[in-house]
Amino acid sequence: CWDAAGVKRKAEPVGTVQGVVSTARMVGNWVQWFAYGHGSVTRQYVDSMGRHGYRPASKTLNARYLRDHWEGRHTLAVPVFGKGDHVAFAVIDLDVSRRVLDTLTQAELQAKRVELLDDALGLVDVAHRAGVDGVIEDSGCKGYHVWFFLRNPVSAKLARHFLAELCRVAGDSPGGTHRELLPGSDTCPPDGNGARIKLPLGIHRLTGTRCGFINPDGSSCTPVEEQQVVRGRTDAGRMRNAIEKWTRWQSADQPPRTPQPHAPLGGALNATGLKEVRAGCAVLRALQRKASETHDLSHHERTVLRGILAPLGPAGHGELHRIVRHCRNYDRRLTDRMIGSAG
C-alpha cells in the first residue's frame, strides 16, 4: 500500500482503521449525493483466491450503511445515474493502465502514483481557476479520484462535457496511465457498466488501505479537514461557465500547422519575417489574444506556442516570452527551459 506521495506503507487491518469524524450535516449531504442514483448499493468483496469485485448489498443507501462504510465494516459502491439521466456528482478516475501494470516494479509503480497525484492536482487547479472546486481522494489501490460534488443534480450530458473539457485543457495524462470519466456517457448504459463507483473514505478490501482525501498541496487530510473539503460544492451554472471559458479558445488548442515564413538563410527571422508569421497564423494570434485578455495559458497551449515560435530563432524566442509574460505564473527561466526542450 502507498500513501499520497507514493511511499510504501503498511496496510492497516480492516476493521481497525479510525472512523470518519462525521456530523449530522455530513451524513445528510452524503445521502443527498450518493443515495440519488437509481439501482442497488453494492459491497466490495475479496475471495480466498484474491479475486475482488462487488455484490448487491442494499436497495438504498442510509445513514447506518454510511457509518458502517466509514468505520470499515464494509466498503460500498453506489450508482452514478439518477432519474432522468441526471447525476449528483461527477468523477475522474485516475489509474495506472492495465496493459502496463504487470510490467512495473514496485519502485516504478510508486513513481506512477506520484505522477498520477500530480495529474490530479493539475486537474483540480485548472477547474478551480475556472470557478469549480474539486476534491482529490486516494482510491486506496493504484490511483486517485477527482470528485465534483453538486448542490443539485445536473444532466449527465453537462457533467460529462465538463469533465471532458477539463481533461482536454489540462493536457494528456502521464504515460502508462488513463482517466475514466463518470458519468462516461449522456445516458445510463443498459448493462450498467461504468455506472457505479466506490464511496469515498472507505477501505479498499484488496489492499486494506483507507481511501482518504488529499489537500491541494498533496498532503493527506486530517479527519476534521475531511469534513471541510466536501463543503465546496458546484452547480450547473459554474460548470457551464467553465465550459464556455475553455471552449471559447478551443480553436487555439488544436495542433497548428507549422507556418512556412520567408526566412533568411540560417532559419532565423528578422522583425519583418516575424510580422509575416503573426499575420499568417490564426493560432498564434488567438493565443496572443487569450494570454493578453485572460492572463492564463494551459500547458498544452504553451506547447503549441513553442512549436510555432521556437524553431524561428531569437526573434521567435523573444516573441514567445512577450506572449507568455502576460500570464500570471510567467517565469523567464522556466520559459527558456521550455524553449530549449523544443529540440
Side-chain angles (χ1 to χ4, degrees), residues 201-243:
L201 303 186
I203 295 173
H204 198 291
R205 312 315 283 192
L206 186 64
T207 64
T209 303
R210 184 171 180 275
C211 308
F213 286 136
I214 307 295
N215 285 309
D217 63 1
S219 63
S220 298
C221 288
T222 66
V224 173
E225 288 171 336
E226 287 176 338
Q227 295 182 56
Q228 298 170 345
V229 295
V230 295
R231 291 180 183 174
R233 291 178 285 178
T234 190
D235 54 37
R238 288 179 181 269
M239 282 186 163
R240 291 193 186 98
N241 288 341
I243 292 170

Side-chain angles (χ1 to χ4, degrees), residues 42-46 52-54 75 198 203-206:
T42 56
R43 182 165 56 193
Q44 190 179 35
Y45 72 89
V46 179
H52 61 102
Y54 289 87
T75 301
K198 179 165 55 68
I203 295 173
H204 198 291
R205 312 315 283 192
L206 186 64

Side-chain angles (χ1 to χ4, degrees), residues 110-130:
Q110 292 173 7
K112 283 296 178 190
R113 277 182 50 84
V114 173
E115 291 180 17
L116 282 172
L117 178 57
D118 185 62
D119 189 32
L121 292 169
L123 288 164
V124 168
D125 180 61
V126 170
H128 176 74
R129 286 187 282 123

Side-chain angles (χ1 to χ4, degrees), residues 119-232:
D119 189 32
L121 292 169
L123 288 164
V124 168
D125 180 61
V126 170
H128 176 74
R129 286 187 282 123
V132 178
D133 287 327
V135 180
I136 301 172
E137 179 205 15
D138 186 331
S139 68
C141 192
K142 304 185 298 293
Y144 297 88
H145 295 155
V146 178
W147 293 87
F148 297 94
F149 300 111
L150 295 154
R151 290 190 177 88
N152 296 294
V154 305
S155 70
K157 181 177 182 179
L158 172 62
R160 185 193 61 78
H161 190 187
F162 167 79
L163 296 179
E165 287 300 324
L166 171 57
C167 289
R168 180 185 65 82
V169 173
D172 294 337
S173 59
T177 71
H178 72 277
R179 300 167 178 157
E180 180 183 1
L181 310 186
L182 295 166
S185 59
D186 296 347
T187 58
C188 183
D191 58 6
N193 287 338
R196 282 184 170 79
I197 188 166
K198 179 165 55 68
L199 281 175
L201 303 186
I203 295 173
H204 198 291
R205 312 315 283 192
L206 186 64
T207 64
T209 303
R210 184 171 180 275
C211 308
F213 286 136
I214 307 295
N215 285 309
D217 63 1
S219 63
S220 298
C221 288
T222 66
V224 173
E225 288 171 336
E226 287 176 338
Q227 295 182 56
Q228 298 170 345
V229 295
V230 295
R231 291 180 183 174

Side-chain angles (χ1 to χ4, degrees), residues 8 15 39 49 55 60 111 122 136 157 175 201 211 242 270 286 309 312 332 335:
K8 196 174 190 309
M49 301 292 291
R55 294 171 176 154
T60 59
I136 301 172
K157 181 177 182 179
L201 303 186
C211 308
N270 56 26
L309 295 172
L312 306 182
R332 185 171 187 86
T335 304

